Amino acid sequence: MKASHLLILFAAVTVILVASATLHYSIAPQKSVQFTKMEIHFQNENATADIEYEVGLLTQLYVFFFGSRNLDPYLDELLYDFEEYRITSVLGATATVELINASRYEGSYYLHEKHTLGTDVNRLILYFPDGKTMTFDNATETQNVFY
């Protein structure tokens, strides 16, 4: 590694340490993630969830340098009551998750049974195929709905 690269690395670490001491930040990433908005778009028995969240400054830096894989456990905790899901992308402060078999077909409509969320979501918005929406503030679960 060249001396100039080491100097830049040393300067970056020094700035972070001084900022954390001055601004009373912890070097360790923030332990919690605040979920601000979750939009669920229903499509037959599956659904797509777009999740927005907030993390602290140092956690943002950590994710920027080392990747978003460490945020997966927080998403797993939020979606623990869904039997099957797949995290398709985590970019910046948003995540997209495919909820597989989130609803079931009952005669002439689909039924989505309520699912408990692992943490509170400031705003939960449900989008239905016919264009209707339902909005819930400070949600702790999805609702029983049919469409």
Side-chain angles (χ1 to χ4, degrees):
M1 189 177 262
K2 293 182 179 180
S4 61
H5 290 127
L6 287 174
L7 183 61
I8 291 171
L9 180 63
F10 176 75
V13 170
T14 302
V15 167
I16 291 172
L17 288 174
V18 169
S20 69
T22 305
L23 301 173
H24 303 290
Y25 284 117
S26 169
I27 291 298
Q30 182 176 322
K31 295 294 182 200
S32 64
V33 173
Q34 177 64 41
F35 293 100
T36 55
K37 185 163 88 171
M38 181 175 182
E39 297 179 350
I40 299 178
H41 301 266
F42 292 103
Q43 304 143 355
N44 299 330
E45 52 276 320
N46 298 328
T48 302
D50 296 319
I51 303 167
E52 296 179 11
Y53 54 86
E54 292 178 355
V55 294
L57 174 66
L58 290 179
T59 304
Q60 288 176 353
L61 290 173
Y62 182 86
V63 168
F64 177 75
F65 287 115
F66 300 109
S68 60
R69 180 166 300 195
N70 292 322
L71 293 176
D72 289 355
Y74 295 106
L75 294 171
D76 291 336
E77 178 185 346
L78 175 68
L79 301 170
Y80 83 95
D81 198 27
F82 287 90
E83 290 181 21
E84 192 175 354
Y85 60 89
R86 182 179 59 180
I87 300 171
T88 56
S89 72
V90 179
L91 298 171
T94 61
T96 302
V97 178
E98 183 180 345
L99 304 172
I100 301 165
N101 296 322
S103 304
R104 69 175 191 260
Y105 190 66
E106 290 288 327
S108 61
Y109 58 90
Y110 289 91
L111 173 65
H112 172 78
E113 294 180 4
K114 76 176 184 175
H115 292 277
T116 304
L117 301 173
T119 59
D120 292 351
V121 175
N122 293 353
R123 174 162 285 180
L124 172 66
I125 304 171
L126 306 178
Y127 291 93
F128 301 101
D130 63 358
K132 294 181 182 176
T133 63
M134 294 176 73
T135 303
F136 305 95
D137 291 327
N138 300 317
T140 58
E141 63 186 15
T142 65
Q143 301 296 313
N144 288 325
V145 293
F146 61 92
Y147 52 95

